[in-house]
Amino acid sequence: MNSLFLLLAATVAFVFGYRFYSKLLALGVFRLENNYSIPVQNRPAEDEPRTAKRHLIFGHHLASLAAGTAVMGTMVSLIWGWIPAFLWAVVATVTAAGTYGLGSLWLSLRYPGLNPAEIAARLLGAPAHTLFALFAFLLLLIMNAACATLAAQLLSDFPQAVLPFWAIVVLAWFLGGFLRGRENFEIISASLIALTLGLMAVWLLGEFPLAFTGALNFETKTSYLAFDANMVWVLILFFYAYHATRLPMWKLIRPRGYLTALLLGIMLFICYTAVVIDHPVLVAPEFHAGPDIPATLPWLFVTLTSGAVAGFHLLIGNGITARQLKHETDARYIGYGGALALGLLALSAIIIGGTSFATTQEWTQHYAAWEAFRELHKVLELYINGFARMAASIGLDQAFARTLAAVVMLGLLVATLEAGLRVQKQLLTGLTERFPSLLPGNEKNQIATVVVLSAVLTLHDGHGLGGLSWWPLFGVADQILAVLGFSLLALTLRRSGRPVIWVLAPLIFMAVVVHWAFATLAMQWWAAGEWLLFGLGALLLAIELGLAVLALRTLKASSPSTS
């Protein structure tokens, strides 16, 4: 199959989705109001008054949506063939993911200043706050640890990306200071200059790799700690993340995410230019199965999460993006448009994963068993090296392209880590108000708490790989959160007399699929004696059931308002 066909089909679907389907959602379902804006007193004091900087906010939003994990999930989902991966990435993006992205921002703007747990309490009653906050906090804990581990592994595996990555962090600091309070035309010129400097950093500094060599081992009768390059990078990343989270978003996190999104745009432009010019042929089969490969259903739908439908996008949209928006109508461009941009990244992973091998036989050998994808950083390496080969096919320097892709993947993973820690701090703040005697009330202590907890989960195995040991649970837990997010949307739409079917359909489908997958995983964990995974999974399921009971009671007691 010619990869150009996939690009054309996805382009048609995404253009149709944004032009017509998102318009239906904006006008007929959520009924976005151009004159509706967030009250000034509900905006966080750390940010400047909201001027119309939609593109800046869009870039930060996209970078925060775990785009790095979208690449991994999509590359792994090719194990079932390119047709299932392509259909789920494209169709689910246009319908479910776009609806969820737009709806998450709309819901957050309708309850300004409240985190999702507090919104759940408004809709379902006070007990829902603690349940939802605990579920979201645990999910983000796993995500933060996994992102830190993967970023540290990329810094170790691609030492040529180290200096460019940190140079872009410094560049983003200056960009943030310049952009504060600027008009749109000034943002465009500053963005072009910053993008040019970022590309120059990749080109020039990529010639000077920086790596840690050797390891310092600490061993006792009961524990073992290998203080190697991966451990060093994990500690450096959390040290950076702690200080970045303490700063106002406009100073560093937002401009760094925005600059990473610009570099991602350049990377995707190169990728799809190569597809148009060289139109590589997919060697991946249309469908693929084997004795060591799980069934397509339900695993495709919980493997390809970010890049299709991801529950934690509600947390990012609420805790990061919605707090920067001025007008409700921006939710269509940023929420639905962000889902489409993530879909384009997922499509690039399908094309690269399907064309990176010389023959179908080589592809089949690589995708012969599920066990081959336990080392997730190697999945990212496959994408980075595949992109470099595609760039070289149109005359670009392969080393430069490899460094660019590594810097972009690093930037996306760190953006998600930054956003996750910030949202965790917000959730902890809400819990502190309810349990002031049990939790830290000082903001500095709250940030330190979430950073330390994420770092401990990452480092608990003694190698800095602890976050990935919980990754099998993340996929189903993330989809459960999507079910809960769609439930909050459905309740809010019903209360306001708006049509519910557009969120009810994906809600029902995902509820069936994710609980099917969870039941299968739980039996596997029980049989293998994976008691920690089984116990935490059971805890998350119990929390979800508690929220489901509250939702059913609320749904039974409420009726659409006539106002």
Side-chain angles (χ1 to χ4, degrees):
M1 170 61 69
N2 192 320
S3 57
L4 182 59
F5 171 78
L6 270 64
L7 175 59
L8 294 175
T11 300
V12 171
F14 289 168
V15 169
F16 174 85
Y18 190 81
R19 179 67 181 85
F20 298 104
Y21 192 72
S22 71
K23 188 174 183 179
L24 168 67
L25 295 174
L27 299 180
V29 179
F30 298 107
R31 300 173 188 171
L32 305 182
E33 300 177 21
N34 188 47
N35 294 326
Y36 182 87
S37 60
I38 308 174
V40 175
Q41 63 270 21
N42 286 325
R43 297 171 184 158
E46 66 180 27
D47 282 321
E48 75 276 12
R50 309 311 196 268
T51 52
K53 300 173 181 175
R54 301 196 312 159
H55 304 310
L56 181 62
I57 299 172
F58 177 87
H60 184 207
H61 177 73
L62 174 60
S64 301
L65 293 181
T69 59
V71 169
M72 290 189 305
T74 307
M75 296 285 283
V76 173
S77 70
L78 280 172
I79 199 170
W80 295 290
W82 68 261
I83 287 182
F86 176 79
L87 289 178
W88 180 237
V90 173
V91 175
T93 293
V94 171
T95 55
T99 304
Y100 192 70
L102 194 163
S104 296
L105 294 182
W106 171 78
L107 181 68
S108 302
L109 294 175
R110 287 289 160 168
Y111 292 93
L114 300 183
N115 65 46
E118 292 165 337
I119 295 174
R122 287 282 187 95
L123 294 171
L124 307 178
H129 181 276
T130 303
L131 293 174
F132 198 104
L134 181 59
F135 190 103
F137 193 91
L138 292 174
L139 180 72
L140 289 173
L141 200 62
I142 298 173
M143 187 185 76
N144 293 342
C147 285
T149 292
L150 291 167
Q153 288 177 315
L154 287 184
L155 286 166
S156 299
D157 294 340
F158 295 91
Q160 69 271 29
V162 172
L163 290 179
F165 170 76
W166 292 110
I168 288 171
V169 171
V170 175
L171 179 61
W173 176 284
F174 289 103
L175 180 64
F178 176 81
L179 290 181
R180 191 183 189 199
R182 300 284 179 173
E183 298 297 330
N184 283 331
F185 73 91
E186 294 175 294
I187 292 177
I188 294 174
S189 59
S191 299
L192 292 175
I193 295 172
L195 178 60
T196 302
L197 292 175
L199 291 171
M200 289 180 63
V202 173
W203 177 40
L204 297 175
L205 297 180
E207 299 293 329
F208 303 96
L210 177 62
F212 297 106
T213 58
L216 185 61
N217 299 321
F218 298 93
E219 187 173 1
T220 67
K221 292 182 179 180
T222 59
S223 63
Y224 174 79
L225 178 64
F227 206 80
D228 56 7
N230 198 66
M231 291 279 287
V232 172
W233 282 125
V234 166
L235 292 173
I236 290 175
L237 286 170
F238 277 115
F239 178 81
Y240 158 79
Y242 168 76
H243 290 282
T245 306
R246 290 188 61 190
L247 294 173
M249 276 195 291
W250 63 265
K251 271 194 174 181
L252 181 58
I253 291 180
R254 185 167 66 192
R256 201 202 62 77
Y258 172 67
L259 190 52
T260 299
L262 292 178
L263 291 171
L264 172 63
I266 295 295
M267 195 185 81
L268 292 178
F269 177 78
I270 293 172
C271 175
Y272 290 130
T273 300
V275 171
V276 172
I277 294 176
D278 198 43
H279 43 82
V281 176
L282 291 168
V283 297
E286 291 86 356
F287 298 94
H288 186 236
D292 297 320
I293 299 174
T296 305
L297 293 174
W299 300 111
L300 171 68
F301 304 104
V302 296
T303 300
L304 209 172
T305 53
S306 184
V309 185
F312 70 90
H313 288 185
L314 168 64
L315 306 178
I316 302 300
N318 173 276
I320 303 296
T321 309
R323 295 168 188 255
Q324 304 179 65
L325 294 181
K326 181 180 180 181
H327 296 294
E328 190 179 68
T329 48
D330 291 337
R332 179 190 178 194
Y333 166 65
I334 296 173
Y336 195 94
L340 294 185
L342 208 58
L344 283 174
L345 178 60
L347 176 64
S348 75
I350 292 173
I351 293 175
I352 290 173
T355 62
S356 291
F357 300 87
T359 64
T360 301
Q361 184 179 3
E362 288 186 18
W363 184 95
T364 303
Q365 289 176 350
H366 185 83
Y367 279 86
W370 188 258
E371 295 296 321
F373 300 99
R374 284 196 176 273
E375 297 185 76
L376 292 176
H377 71 286
K378 291 187 176 180
V379 179
L380 287 177
E381 289 179 20
L382 177 63
Y383 178 85
I384 290 169
N385 293 326
F387 168 78
R389 284 190 292 269
M390 290 187 70
S393 70
I394 57 173
L396 292 180
D397 180 69
Q398 189 166 348
F400 166 79
R402 183 179 292 107
T403 304
L404 173 63
V407 169
V408 170
M409 290 299 107
L410 273 168
L412 295 175
L413 288 168
V414 174
T416 305
L417 174 62
E418 293 166 341
L421 291 172
R422 194 174 219 38
V423 174
Q424 274 190 306
K425 188 262 291 183
Q426 294 165 0
L427 292 170
L428 192 59
T429 299
L431 288 171
T432 300
E433 295 174 356
R434 290 176 175 263
F435 308 101
S437 61
L438 299 177
L439 298 171
N442 181 274
E443 183 183 41
K444 182 179 178 180
N445 292 336
Q446 290 171 352
I447 296 173
T449 299
V450 298
V451 169
V452 168
L453 288 175
S454 297
V456 167
L457 184 60
T458 309
L459 300 171
H460 81 273
D461 69 331
H463 301 281
L465 306 175
L468 297 183
S469 62
W470 298 93
W471 192 253
L473 178 61
F474 179 81
V476 290
D478 187 40
Q479 296 299 75
I480 289 175
L481 182 60
V483 171
L484 295 175
F486 272 121
S487 300
L488 295 181
L489 284 174
L491 287 170
T492 306
L493 288 171
R494 189 173 186 271
R495 281 190 173 188
S496 58
R498 291 171 166 87
V500 180
I501 186 61
W502 304 97
V503 299
L504 200 59
L507 166 61
I508 294 173
F509 173 79
M510 292 182 64
V512 172
V513 169
V514 71
H515 289 96
W516 178 7
F518 179 84
T520 306
L521 273 177
M523 289 187 290
Q524 292 176 0
W525 293 333
W526 180 276
E530 297 281 356
W531 304 119
L532 286 177
L533 284 171
F534 182 85
L536 183 57
L539 173 62
L540 293 177
L541 182 63
I543 293 173
E544 186 217 2
L545 291 176
L547 289 169
V549 170
L550 294 174
L552 290 174
R553 289 179 179 176
T554 303
L555 193 62
K556 185 177 180 180
S558 64
S559 59
S561 63
T562 57
S563 58

